[in-house]
Amino acid sequence: MTFQPRSPLTPAELARRAEVLTASREPNLTSESADARQYGERAASIIRECKRDVALASNDGKLAAFEAAATTLSTAVTDRWLPKAIIADRLQEIADAHSSFGKSQEKIQRIISNAVAQIDVPPIELSAKAPPNRRLIACRASELEPEKLVWVWPGRIPEGKLVLLGGPPGLGKSQLTAFISATVSTGGHWPCGEGSTLPGDVIFMSAEDGVQDTIIPRLIAAGADRERVHIVSAATRVCT
């Protein structure tokens, strides 16, 4: 197999590549990780694509790409993917990364203000009907039969009950949740001869650890069946 040598990059291509690399520096990656943790992967993806579109645009088209990104972000707020409060900051970050595209700060602020003004988040409609009359629902203890407690982890985690795992930082609580998820997903054995569990699905919610750089490696290390582990990234409100 023969390869044709690639012609050297032109000065314009070198400058454009440098801008793309500058737009992907570590501070931006940190910002994207924070956005993913706070607002979900979909929201972070929208912001990331806007930054990339502006970075990849030609010098003459960067301002137009920035205006398109402003419209995209305002639409994302209207669709409830992003909070309104962060739009101005993210657009200003993009403008600062490209030296305001050679335009005055007044013009940049006008573009950002117009994008924020376009945001139209429909209010949540409250029912006009009067609230239903409340009543107490009770039964006699004599009408109920005792039931056997079913354990997922015998003596530790009962089925269908709320269990609190608490303790100071650094004791391995997150590692333990990854181990529990792996054991449940595979129907594995608990330590110290404390029995086993049937295979089941796991819903994993975390507001602290990164999904792909922390949770997934822990699940792999614990031997989890990742097909059975469902990681929640965000929730949306459906308005009718």
Side-chain angles (χ1 to χ4, degrees):
M1 181 181 293
T2 60
F3 295 91
Q4 296 295 328
R6 189 190 188 285
S7 59
L9 295 176
T10 65
E13 290 174 329
L14 288 171
R16 187 174 177 185
R17 175 171 291 185
E19 290 180 358
V20 173
L21 293 175
T22 301
S24 302
R25 291 177 302 177
E26 186 64 24
N28 286 338
L29 293 176
T30 302
S31 175
E32 289 176 9
S33 299
D35 287 338
R37 286 195 302 269
Q38 288 185 277
Y39 314 117
E41 292 293 341
R42 173 58 178 162
S45 174
I46 293 172
I47 298 174
R48 181 169 59 250
E49 289 172 3
C50 287
K51 291 181 178 180
R52 187 174 300 163
D53 289 344
V54 175
L56 293 176
S58 63
N59 289 334
D60 294 337
K62 285 190 182 298
L63 184 61
F66 177 69
E67 292 174 335
T71 300
T72 298
L73 292 180
S74 64
T75 302
V77 175
T78 301
D79 294 339
R80 302 184 187 275
W81 286 110
L82 290 169
K84 185 176 181 179
I86 72 166
I87 296 304
D89 291 341
R90 295 300 179 270
L91 289 173
Q92 189 63 57
E93 289 175 5
I94 296 175
D96 291 343
H98 299 280
S99 302
S100 298
F101 315 104
K103 304 298 181 181
S104 66
Q105 189 64 311
E106 180 181 357
K107 181 173 180 60
I108 298 300
Q109 288 299 320
R110 187 161 56 249
I111 294 174
I112 295 175
S113 298
N114 290 339
V116 174
Q118 291 175 7
I119 297 173
D120 182 21
V121 180
I124 301 174
E125 296 183 1
L126 300 178
S127 175
K129 298 180 180 179
N133 294 328
R134 294 185 177 181
R135 62 190 181 92
L136 183 66
I137 301 175
C139 60
R140 298 180 187 274
S142 59
E143 298 172 352
L144 302 176
E145 295 295 330
E147 294 181 351
K148 182 180 179 181
L149 189 62
V150 179
W151 293 95
V152 176
W153 186 345
R156 301 182 186 275
I157 302 178
E159 183 178 292
K161 308 297 181 181
L162 178 64
V163 178
L164 179 63
L165 178 63
L171 294 183
K173 298 186 298 297
S174 297
Q175 294 281 9
L176 179 56
T177 58
F179 165 74
I180 294 173
S181 300
T183 303
V184 172
S185 68
T186 59
H189 292 270
W190 301 110
C192 303
E194 294 183 349
S196 60
T197 181
L198 295 174
D201 284 19
V202 177
I203 298 177
F204 206 109
M205 302 176 66
S206 176
E208 179 180 357
D209 296 319
V211 175
Q212 293 176 278
D213 59 8
T214 303
I215 295 176
I216 297 299
R218 286 176 177 172
L219 291 173
I220 294 174
D225 179 358
R226 289 191 288 158
E227 287 292 329
R228 286 185 172 271
V229 180
H230 310 271
I231 299 176
V232 178
S233 58
T236 60
R237 184 190 298 274
V238 178
C239 298
T240 57

